[in-house]
C-alpha cells in the first residue's frame, strides 16, 4: 500500500522525481486539516510528523503543495493501468494539505478531465459489451407503474410532517437564545434523517438477506453529501428540503441473469410496499451521459419493523453506540476544524429532538430505503468506476477533499499500514530517496 519507490517508478514518465518526493512528504505528514500557516495550532501528532521530515525539508509553500499535486495528476493518468496507485491518490485527495493545490483551478480541472475520460471509456465499454450484447432493453417493462410517483421522507406514511415541524420549532427557540453555534434547521433535519437511517440500517439489510438475496451494503449518506445536495439538487425543493433524500439507507442486490432481475423484483413486490421505481434499463435512458454506462433498477421501498415504535428503537443501547461512533468520525472532526463546526456540531441537538418529540416517538417504525437491482457485470463495473466518479461529481476542491477524507484520516487502513508499525506508532523519519537529489 505504501511503496515509495513504486510511486516514482510507475509515474516517472509523467512527473519529476521532486514532485513524487513532495507527494511522499504529504503522505508522511498525513492530513493536517489545513497547513500550519493557516492555523495557529496544529495537533501533537502532526507536529511529530513534521519533525520526521528530512533535515531542511518543509511542506508549507505553494510550490511544494503544487508539486505534490502534480504527482497526483500523473498517477491518476496511469491509475487505470496501475490500480496500486489508487490508495495513495485517494489519501492525497482527502488530504487538505495537498488538496489545497486544487484551488488553482487549472489543476483541479485537469484532474476532472482525466477522470471524465476514464469514465467515458468505461461507459462506452459497458453499453457495447453489457447492455447491447445481452439485450437488456427487454427489462424496460419492470416497475413502470411505480415510475411517476411522488415520494418524500415527510409523507404521512413514512416519517410525517410533525417531525420536521418539531425540528424547526426547536431550532427557532435556540436561535432566540442567541446561541452563536446554532446550526440551520435544514442541516439539523438532515442529521436527524442520518440518525434515523443508522437506527434501521442493519434491520433493512438483514431483512433482504433473509429472502435469500445476495445483498451488497452501501454506507449511509454522510452530512457532507447531504449538505452539498442542499445547495444543488434540492435547493429549490419545499422545506424541509432534506425530505427529498430517499437513499440514506441503501444497498444493492446482485443478479446473475436478466431473468433473475425480473424474479427478484416480483419477490420484492410481494414482500414490501414499493414507493417508486427508476428503471435505467429502458432504451430511452441515456446511460452514457447520465451514469457513465451504469444501469440498474432503483427501487424505493417502505421499510417497516412490525410492532415497534420509533421511541423503542431509538432508546436501544446499540443505536446510541452507532450514533456515538458516527459523532467521533474523523470526517466530522475535520469539517469542524474547517470552521464549519456550526453546521456539524449537531449531535447533542439531534439526540435531544429525538428524545423529546413524543408524537414522533409514538409512531410505528417506517422509513424509505433504496435498493438497486443490478447484474453482476454492472456491480463489477461500478466497483471500477466509483473512484473516477467521485472525482467527476465534485463541484469544487473542498467537496472533493471531503469526499476522500476517510482515505486520508490517520485511522484509515492506508495511512495506518503505510506509516505505522504493529504497535501503531510512527515509523522512522522519512529520508530523501537517492532518485530525488536535493535541489
Amino acid at each position: 500500500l505504501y511503496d515509495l519507490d513504486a510511486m516514482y517508478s510507475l509515474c516517472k514518465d509523467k512527473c519529476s522525481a521532486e514532485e513524487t518526493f513532495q507527494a511522499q512528504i504529504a503522505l508522511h505528514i498525513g492530513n493536517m486539516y489545513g497547513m500550519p500557516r493557516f492555523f495557529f495550532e496544529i495537533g501533537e501528532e502532526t507536529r511529530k510528523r513534521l519533525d520526521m521530515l528530512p533535515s531542511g525539508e518543509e511542506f508549507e509553500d505553494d510550490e511544494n503543495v503544487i508539486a505534490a499535486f502534480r504527482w497526483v495528476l500523473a498517477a491518476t493518468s496511469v491509475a487505470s493501468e496501475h490500480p496500486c496507485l489508487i490508495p495513495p491518490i485517494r489519501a492525497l485527495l482527502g488530504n487538505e494539505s495537498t488538496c489545497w493545490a486544487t484551488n488553482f483551478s487549472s489543476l483541479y480541472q485537469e484532474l476532472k478531465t482525466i477522470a471524465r475520460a476514464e469514465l467515458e471509456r468505461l461507459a462506452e465499454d459497458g453499453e457495447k459489451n453489457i447492455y447491447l450484447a445481452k439485450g437488456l432493453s427487454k427489462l424496460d417493462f419492470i416497475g413502470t407503474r411505480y415510475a411517476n410517483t411522488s415520494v418524500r421522507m415527510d409523507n404521512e406514511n413514512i416519517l410525517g410532517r410533525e417531525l420536521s415541524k418539531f425540528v424547526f420549532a426547536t431550532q427557532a427557540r435556540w436561535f432566540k437564545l442567541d446561541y452563536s453555534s446554532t446550526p440551520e434547521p435544514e442541516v439539523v433535519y438532515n442529521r436527524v434523517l442520518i440518525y434515523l437511517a443508522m437506527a434501521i440500517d442493519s434491520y433493512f439489510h438483514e431483512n433482504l438477506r433473509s429472502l435469500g438475496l445476495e445483498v451488497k451494503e452501501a454506507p449511509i449518506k454522510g452530512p457532507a453529501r447531504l449538505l452539498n445536495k442542499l445547495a444543488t439538487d434540492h435547493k429549490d425543493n419545499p422545506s424541509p428540503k432534506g425530505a427529498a433524500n430517499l437513499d440514506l439507507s441503501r444497498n444493492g442486490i446482485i443478479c446473475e441473469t436478466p431473468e433473475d432481475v425480473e424474479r427478484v423484483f416480483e419477490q420484492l413486490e410481494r414482500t414490501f410496499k414499493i414507493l417508486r421505481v427508476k428503471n435505467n434499463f429502458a432504451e430511452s435512458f441515456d446511460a452514457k451521459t447520465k451514469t457513465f454506462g451504469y444501469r440498474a433498477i432503483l427501487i424505493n421501498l417502505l421499510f417497516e419493523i412490525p410492532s415497534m415504535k420509533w421511541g423503542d428503537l431509538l432508546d436501544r443501547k446499540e443505536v446510541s453506540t452507532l450514533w456515538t461512533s458516527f459523532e467521533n468520525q474523523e470526517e466530522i472532526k475535520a469539517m469542524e476544524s474547517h470552521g464549519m463546526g456550526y453546521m456539524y456540531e449537531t449531535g447533542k441537538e439531534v439526540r435531544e429532538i429525538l428524545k423529546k418529540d413524543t408524537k414522533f416517538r409514538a409512531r410505528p417504525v417506517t422509513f424509505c430505503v433504496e435498493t438497486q437491482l443490478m447484474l453482476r457485470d454492472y456491480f463489477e463495473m461500478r466497483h471500477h468506476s466509483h473512484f473516477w466518479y467521485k472525482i467527476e461529481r465534485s463541484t469544487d476542491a473542498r467537496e472533493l477533499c471531503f469526499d476522500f477524507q476517510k482515505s486520508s484520516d490517520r485511522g484509515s487502513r492506508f495511512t495506518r499500514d503505510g506509516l505505522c508499525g504493529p504497535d501503531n506508532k510512527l515509523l522512522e523519519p522519512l529520508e530523501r530517496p537517492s532518485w530525488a537529489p536535493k535541489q
Side-chain angles (χ1 to χ4, degrees):
L1 285 176
Y2 196 72
D3 187 337
L4 301 184
D5 290 332
M7 284 178 62
Y8 176 57
S9 64
L10 295 175
C11 303
K12 61 183 178 181
D13 293 336
K14 301 278 187 177
C15 66
S16 69
E18 186 63 24
E19 288 166 346
T20 305
F21 183 57
Q22 291 301 327
Q24 292 176 0
I25 287 180
L27 287 171
H28 205 65
I29 294 172
N31 197 345
M32 296 162 57
Y33 309 140
M35 297 305 299
R37 59 181 173 166
F38 301 117
F39 297 90
F40 290 107
E41 294 185 9
I42 57 177
E44 180 66 21
E45 186 175 332
T46 295
R47 198 173 297 279
K48 289 179 181 177
R49 287 170 182 258
L50 289 172
D51 291 341
M52 293 171 66
L53 297 182
S55 176
E57 300 286 355
E58 296 182 356
F59 190 78
E60 59 179 22
D61 295 331
D62 286 343
E63 182 180 347
N64 291 347
V65 174
I66 291 173
F69 197 78
R70 288 199 182 282
W71 178 86
V72 172
L73 291 175
T76 304
S77 70
V78 297
S80 60
E81 305 165 43
H82 305 290
C84 62
L85 292 172
I86 290 180
I89 293 171
R90 293 173 65 94
L92 289 173
L93 289 179
N95 186 326
E96 178 67 12
S97 306
T98 313
C99 210
W100 193 267
T102 57
N103 286 333
F104 299 89
S105 59
S106 61
L107 296 178
Y108 174 65
Q109 292 303 324
E110 189 174 345
L111 180 70
K112 291 196 67 170
T113 298
I114 295 170
R116 173 168 280 275
E118 180 61 19
L119 286 169
E120 289 174 347
R121 185 190 69 78
L122 290 170
E124 188 73 31
D125 182 70
E127 287 293 273
K128 178 182 178 181
N129 297 320
I130 304 177
Y131 186 69
L132 294 176
K134 297 192 174 185
L136 299 181
S137 61
K138 62 187 177 184
L139 296 173
D140 65 356
F141 71 94
I142 295 178
T144 52
R145 69 191 186 98
Y146 304 104
N148 298 312
T149 56
S150 176
V151 184
R152 285 172 53 92
M153 278 290 192
D154 58 351
N155 286 1
E156 187 54 37
N157 65 328
I158 306 177
L159 296 180
R161 292 283 298 175
E162 292 302 319
L163 176 61
S164 62
K165 290 179 181 178
F166 192 89
V167 170
F168 279 66
T170 300
Q171 290 303 100
R173 289 197 297 273
W174 284 333
F175 272 122
K176 195 171 182 179
L177 292 172
D178 194 27
Y179 287 177
S180 60
S181 63
T182 301
E184 300 175 13
E186 293 283 3
V187 175
V188 176
Y189 184 76
N190 275 352
R191 179 69 78 88
V192 168
L193 294 181
I194 291 173
Y195 275 42
L196 296 179
M198 284 191 279
I200 63 95
D201 196 51
S202 62
Y203 292 90
F204 170 45
H205 303 315
E206 289 307 314
N207 194 305
L208 287 184
R209 288 195 178 97
S210 70
L211 301 177
L213 304 174
E214 182 179 349
V215 177
K216 299 295 183 181
E217 299 179 21
I220 291 172
K221 278 195 172 176
R225 291 291 300 142
L226 296 192
L227 185 66
N228 181 59
K229 282 184 171 291
L230 276 179
T232 54
D233 298 355
H234 301 158
K235 65 179 180 179
D236 297 324
N237 286 11
S239 184
K241 301 179 188 298
N245 292 294
L246 305 179
D247 60 346
L248 287 102
S249 178
R250 53 201 174 141
N251 58 37
I253 299 175
I254 310 300
C255 301
E256 299 296 341
T257 66
E259 292 72 27
D260 288 340
V261 173
E262 184 177 354
R263 176 185 58 78
V264 171
F265 182 84
E266 293 172 352
Q267 189 175 11
L268 294 176
E269 200 170 26
R270 292 192 301 269
T271 309
F272 299 95
K273 176 179 175 57
I274 293 181
L275 301 173
R276 187 180 69 176
V277 173
K278 290 184 179 181
N279 188 338
N280 293 345
F281 285 111
E283 284 188 283
S284 59
F285 180 72
D286 185 359
K288 282 187 181 180
T289 302
K290 294 184 176 180
T291 57
F292 295 105
Y294 172 74
R295 291 180 183 264
I297 300 178
L298 284 61
I299 309 172
N300 291 115
L301 305 169
L302 181 66
F303 181 70
E304 305 172 83
I305 301 180
S307 305
M308 183 177 288
K309 307 293 185 184
W310 271 113
D312 297 329
L313 177 61
L314 299 181
D315 287 344
R316 292 193 169 189
K317 184 178 179 180
E318 60 266 27
V319 172
S320 179
T321 300
L322 286 171
W323 291 347
T324 300
S325 176
F326 171 80
E327 291 157 2
N328 290 333
Q329 282 181 20
E330 290 294 336
E331 178 188 6
I332 306 301
K333 294 178 181 178
M335 291 170 180
E336 292 169 357
S337 73
H338 283 289
M340 302 174 71
Y342 71 95
M343 286 194 275
Y344 290 92
E345 293 171 342
T346 55
K348 181 179 179 181
E349 291 92 330
V350 169
R351 288 179 185 244
E352 185 175 341
I353 286 168
L354 294 176
K355 184 177 181 179
K356 292 185 175 181
D357 189 350
T358 54
K359 289 184 178 179
F360 177 74
R361 290 173 63 85
R363 289 178 65 97
V365 175
T366 55
F367 201 76
C368 180
V369 296
E370 181 178 285
T371 191
Q372 297 189 17
L373 299 189
M374 67 184 83
L375 290 169
R376 190 172 300 280
D377 291 329
Y378 282 114
F379 173 71
E380 294 172 356
M381 174 187 179
R382 188 159 194 172
H383 176 73
H384 291 299
S385 66
H386 188 60
F387 165 72
W388 307 100
Y389 179 65
K390 288 179 76 170
I391 297 173
E392 164 60 26
R393 77 182 178 189
S394 64
T395 56
D396 55 42
R398 172 166 287 188
E399 183 188 336
L400 177 71
C401 186
F402 284 162
D403 228 4
F404 283 100
Q405 194 81 64
K406 292 179 181 178
S407 301
S408 184
D409 292 332
R410 297 183 185 118
S412 74
R413 181 183 172 213
F414 172 76
T415 308
R416 185 178 65 249
D417 292 355
L419 298 178
C420 301
D423 56 359
N424 209 34
K425 291 183 179 180
L426 292 173
L427 298 177
E428 294 300 313
L430 181 66
E431 298 292 341
R432 182 177 273 274
S434 59
W435 44 259
K438 180 68 175 177
Q439 296 180 335

